[in-house]
Amino acid sequence: MKAAVFKGVQDIQVEDVDEPEAGPTDLVVSVAACGICGSDLHTFLHGSFVEPGQVMGHEFAGEVIAAGTDVQGLAVGDRVTASPIVPCGHCARCAEQRYNLCAEAWTTGIAYGRPGAFAERVRIPNSVAGENVFKLDESVPDEAGATVEPLAVAVHAVRLAGDVAGQTALVLGLGTIGQQVVQVLKAYGAGRVIGMDLSPLRLRAAAELGAEAVDGAPGLQDALAATLGEGGEVDVVFECSGVPALNAAALDAVKAGGTIVVLALYDDDVSFNPTVLVQKEIRLQGSIAYTSDDFGEAVALLTRGAVQFAPLITQRESLDDVAGAFAVQLEKDRSLKVLITPNGA
Ligand SMILES: [Zn+2]
Ligand SMILES: [Zn+2]
């Protein structure tokens, strides 16, 4: 079958690879749609997260075409999405169900060690309904299913922030993750959700999803002051931009006693004086991926229409055109989420 293989920096190619087969606990899924992730771009540009030879693609949905004899609650013909992380199941973090923090989760995951879903078909190991594989309701199209993974990232980050009801939140960087954070904040009853970016396309999408979309061109401090107005303050910041300087800016922007959740990935070091953390008693919280519960919650939010998916999807490209798809995904004012559709749209 055909799959897109990461060959090296700025080199991804479609090749003929082995057909996946379902072992006793596995599913094989025919991939309907698979999104290009921000982390895929880091790998494409810098070789950041996987080795050459890796079939990439971890934000997918499709139809089950083979199910192992031991798989329960899932069957051929089901439309599903799945968590790409494959935790070891026996470490201390796995015992806490914090599968995102299992050291093995990222070395043996789908698209991280084992073949990913920029392919006609993908194998999902250790398939358990409601744990790593989630059936999609009739009302949730395949394209929506492909947005569940980044939505789960946002659910995890917003949950780590604590109760956001009534709070003023600032979301820095309105790529797909930032947009999903906006949506989860709105769904969880945040008061003001201010989204900041430089890209008009991304600002328009955030406005459509319910954010106060603010052009960051004047600089974070000035743009924020003009938006917040007299006496306004930011309770919680979500750093989704990956721009190093915005970490120090976020420390200035958040209120004393506030929280900063960092969920971007950085190519460069960040420098700031931690004294401001002390003086303002700021909680600086990292957030990586999701638990099974977060993934299930993301599916539930989509199913009951509490979040949207259509405004996120800007392009659909064939697997054969994966290199072009990556080129478009890299253009921040032309794309938000580019989907690869390996078996036709
Ligand atoms: Zn992703
Ligand atoms: Zn583990």
Side-chain angles (χ1 to χ4, degrees):
M1 66 163 186
K2 285 194 290 191
V5 180
F6 173 65
K7 305 294 285 182
V9 170
Q10 304 215 32
D11 188 6
I12 184 163
Q13 292 178 25
V14 177
E15 294 184 347
D16 194 37
V17 303
D18 288 344
E19 191 70 46
E21 278 175 43
T25 62
D26 303 338
L27 297 176
V28 174
V29 167
S30 172
V31 180
C34 184
I36 301 177
C37 178
S39 65
D40 295 333
L41 297 181
H42 286 266
T43 291
F44 182 71
L45 291 176
H46 309 289
S48 304
F49 301 116
V50 300
E51 297 298 318
Q54 177 69 48
V55 177
M56 297 169 76
H58 61 270
E59 305 179 355
F60 64 97
E63 185 180 328
V64 176
I65 57 163
T69 47
D70 294 350
V71 178
Q72 295 184 353
L74 295 159
V76 170
D78 286 344
R79 292 170 51 256
V80 299
T81 184
S83 165
I85 64 178
V86 180
C88 76
H90 49 72
C91 73
R93 296 292 86 72
C94 281
E96 299 166 348
Q97 267 120 48
R98 300 173 83 185
Y99 301 125
N100 56 328
L101 302 183
C102 170
E104 269 185 37
W106 300 103
T107 54
T108 62
I110 296 169
Y112 299 93
R114 75 180 68 238
F118 292 147
E120 291 175 285
R121 287 163 288 280
V122 65
R123 181 170 75 93
I124 306 171
N126 311 334
S127 293
V128 178
E131 190 149 301
N132 63 332
V133 185
F134 298 82
K135 272 199 234 187
L136 298 176
D137 189 79
E138 252 173 54
S139 65
V140 179
D142 295 329
E143 290 195 344
T147 68
V148 166
E149 195 267 358
L151 183 59
V153 169
V155 167
H156 189 70
V158 173
R159 283 174 157 178
L160 283 173
D163 184 4
V164 295
Q167 296 209 325
T168 295
L170 172 63
V171 182
L172 299 175
L174 297 169
T176 301
I177 296 295
Q179 306 281 353
Q180 297 291 45
V181 168
V182 164
Q183 296 210 84
V184 175
L185 285 166
K186 298 295 287 185
Y188 287 2
R192 297 183 69 179
V193 178
I194 300 165
M196 206 179 282
D197 201 288
L198 300 173
S199 152
L201 176 143
R202 292 172 178 209
L203 288 168
R204 278 196 301 276
E208 196 177 339
L209 296 175
E212 295 175 55
V214 176
D215 184 350
L220 190 154
Q221 240 46 288
D222 289 349
L224 187 62
T227 306
L228 276 178
E230 192 85 22
E233 54 183 14
V234 172
D235 298 299
V236 56
V237 179
F238 293 87
E239 207 316 80
C240 310
S241 75
V243 177
L246 288 184
N247 279 274
L251 291 166
D252 287 334
V254 77
K255 73 173 186 184
T259 296
I260 300 173
V261 183
V262 180
L263 57 160
L265 301 165
Y266 300 83
D267 294 316
D268 299 302
D269 289 352
V270 168
S271 77
F272 61 86
N273 185 334
T275 303
V276 66
L277 278 180
V278 176
Q279 289 173 328
K280 291 175 72 178
E281 270 193 9
I282 293 165
R283 178 161 67 103
L284 186 57
Q285 169 75 57
S287 181
I288 179 73
Y290 31 72
T291 63
S292 292
D293 195 58
D294 299 325
F295 218 91
E297 168 71 354
V299 174
L301 285 169
L302 259 175
T303 307
R304 68 168 189 267
V307 300
Q308 300 180 62
F309 66 93
L312 302 174
I313 299 166
T314 47
Q315 283 89 7
R316 298 157 185 85
E317 307 285 350
S318 72
L319 186 58
D320 288 325
D321 211 12
V322 67
F326 268 68
V328 175
Q329 185 70 78
L330 281 165
E331 288 189 52
K332 293 187 175 169
D333 208 26
R334 267 186 75 201
S335 64
L336 194 44
K337 178 61 72 187
V338 180
L339 293 181
I340 305 287
T341 57
N343 291 287

